[in-house]
Amino acid sequence: MITFLSGGTGTPKLLRGMQELMEDRDFGVVVNTAEDIWLSGNHLSPDLDTVMYLFAGMLDTSRWWGIRGDTFTSHEFLQKLGIDEFIMVGDLDRAVHIARGEMIRGGLSLTEATEGLCRRLGVQAAILPMTDTEVTTMIVTAEASMHFQEYWVKHRGAVDIVGVERRYQTPPEATGNVLSAIEESDAVVIGPSNPVTSISPILECSGVREALRKQFVIAISPFIGDQPISGPAAALMRVSGHEPTSAGTFRMYADFVDLFMQDTRDPVEIDGAVRRDTLMVNRGKSVDLAKSVLEIING
Ligand code: GDP
């Protein structure tokens, strides 16, 4: 088994390539839940949804969120009723959020709810929420702080930010399933996900860094030069005190990473890093990168 740490875009692109080379049941995927939000009474978990839909063969891979072919009738009708959800939620996607909300209200943990949903959707991979308690990435501006989804989806990242913080009632602990998956894997792969909003929340769950230090860990950079391939990683790195480059990313993982991979085009030099074409612009490119990662793991 190989365990991946994942957000909702960069690592899922790598997972799609890996799927061509490994059996789904040999995947463990630890997923960031710090972007979860209750919306209209239902439980959205953007990164869990993306990874789950990928393994269920339902993901809309033109957007890397939502279900392929989904309709937005409920979203539009809600607008007519005066409920302006700032996140586009498809009808089938909403059904999943309703089901998860009901399960959690009924007393199931997020891990159990995810297991239940995965079973019903025919997912064979072990998809593991990083923690079972609520933790939220908040984006801090000069005037206020807002949920990450509000910053990125509602305001499209077009606000001046001064910081990033995690909000929780109890400090997040990694679940037992997460720690066992890391310990029992042949290797751990940190895909090219946002270091601040996707990977750090997982690393901050107690027990994760210690477990990673005992494992063989490969991490892939989401940066080329001072720009991420997509998304707000550069601004978020800057306000969190990290250089928005592969070097800054490497430093965030330095205490546990065994092999760091950066793009062949990246002008930033990191001692000991390996270089590959990491731009997964299509399925074929994802498979090529996945092959490189597996070759390294299999020595
Ligand atoms: P989010 O949950 O949607 O923010 O998704 P992730 O955190 O999983 O992924 C976002 C990160 O993926 C961004 O920082 C991008 O730079 C990176 N990314 C997206 N596509 C690629 C790609 O093809 N190659 C590499 N190296 N990074 C990518």
Side-chain angles (χ1 to χ4, degrees):
M1 183 177 76
I2 299 179
T3 294
F4 297 80
L5 308 191
S6 186
T9 309
T11 306
K13 287 184 188 173
L14 178 65
L15 292 170
R16 174 162 79 152
M18 286 282 176
Q19 279 188 293
E20 309 263 329
L21 310 171
M22 287 167 50
E23 298 291 335
D24 282 5
R25 62 173 177 276
D26 292 331
F27 285 78
V29 190
V30 177
V31 183
N32 169 45
T33 59
E35 290 170 29
D36 291 12
I37 189 167
W38 288 90
L39 192 71
S40 307
N42 308 320
H43 190 269
L44 247 100
S45 186
D47 295 351
L48 271 180
D49 287 338
T50 291
V51 174
M52 193 166 66
Y53 299 157
L54 175 72
F55 282 99
M58 299 161 64
L59 180 65
D60 181 344
T61 50
S62 64
R63 298 193 276 212
W64 292 92
W65 58 265
I67 293 174
R68 199 172 45 243
D70 210 349
T71 50
F72 291 85
T73 311
S74 57
H75 180 76
E76 283 153 20
F77 199 60
L78 277 167
Q79 272 178 340
K80 191 178 155 83
L81 299 177
I83 308 264
D84 191 8
E85 291 179 333
F86 63 92
I87 301 175
M88 291 274 287
V89 179
D91 297 318
L92 300 181
D93 201 12
R94 186 183 303 282
V96 170
H97 304 159
I98 292 172
R100 186 166 42 227
E102 281 293 289
M103 290 179 195
I104 292 172
R105 273 191 293 271
L108 293 189
S109 67
L110 184 57
T111 298
E112 290 164 337
T114 306
E115 265 169 19
L117 291 171
C118 284
R119 204 175 323 113
R120 285 174 186 270
L121 294 173
V123 172
Q124 304 262 315
I127 298 179
L128 308 172
M130 62 185 197
T131 186
D132 276 331
T133 57
E134 284 190 11
V135 47
T136 308
T137 295
M138 303 296 293
I139 302 299
V140 187
T141 69
E143 295 85 39
S145 69
M146 63 183 90
H147 192 289
F148 174 78
Q149 294 292 337
E150 214 179 325
Y151 160 71
W152 186 237
V153 181
K154 184 170 176 182
H155 297 292
R156 312 217 171 274
V159 281
D160 287 333
I161 62 174
V162 297
V164 177
E165 60 185 29
R166 231 73 72 190
R167 183 169 291 174
Y168 48 74
Q169 289 200 326
T170 47
E173 290 179 12
T175 66
N177 292 8
V178 164
L179 296 180
S180 320
I182 293 175
E183 281 158 20
E184 290 160 19
S185 303
D186 299 309
V188 174
V189 178
I190 300 186
S193 281
N194 186 323
V196 176
T197 52
S198 294
I199 303 301
S200 288
I202 302 176
L203 300 176
E204 288 163 17
C205 293
S206 66
V208 170
R209 272 184 185 272
E210 292 74 10
L212 289 176
R213 284 191 201 114
K214 295 185 202 140
Q215 252 299 0
F216 180 74
V217 181
I218 301 182
I220 301 161
S221 176
F223 282 94
I224 298 181
D226 59 4
Q227 292 299 321
I229 302 343
S230 61
L236 299 175
M237 293 279 277
R238 233 174 265 119
V239 296
S240 311
H242 303 287
E243 189 185 295
T245 62
S246 291
T249 305
F250 174 68
R251 279 194 286 275
M252 291 171 76
Y253 305 158
D255 59 312
F256 58 77
V257 79
D258 296 284
L259 193 133
F260 192 74
M261 186 182 280
Q262 51 182 149
D263 195 87
T264 39
R265 288 152 279 223
D266 192 346
V268 174
E269 290 295 333
I270 297 169
D271 270 0
V274 297
R275 294 203 175 242
R276 296 288 187 278
D277 180 358
T278 71
L279 271 185
M280 295 174 280
V281 288
N282 56 41
R283 186 191 294 269
K285 289 283 191 185
S286 292
V287 175
D288 290 346
L289 183 59
K291 277 187 188 149
S292 295
V293 171
L294 276 187
E295 271 165 25
I296 291 167
I297 291 172
N298 296 329

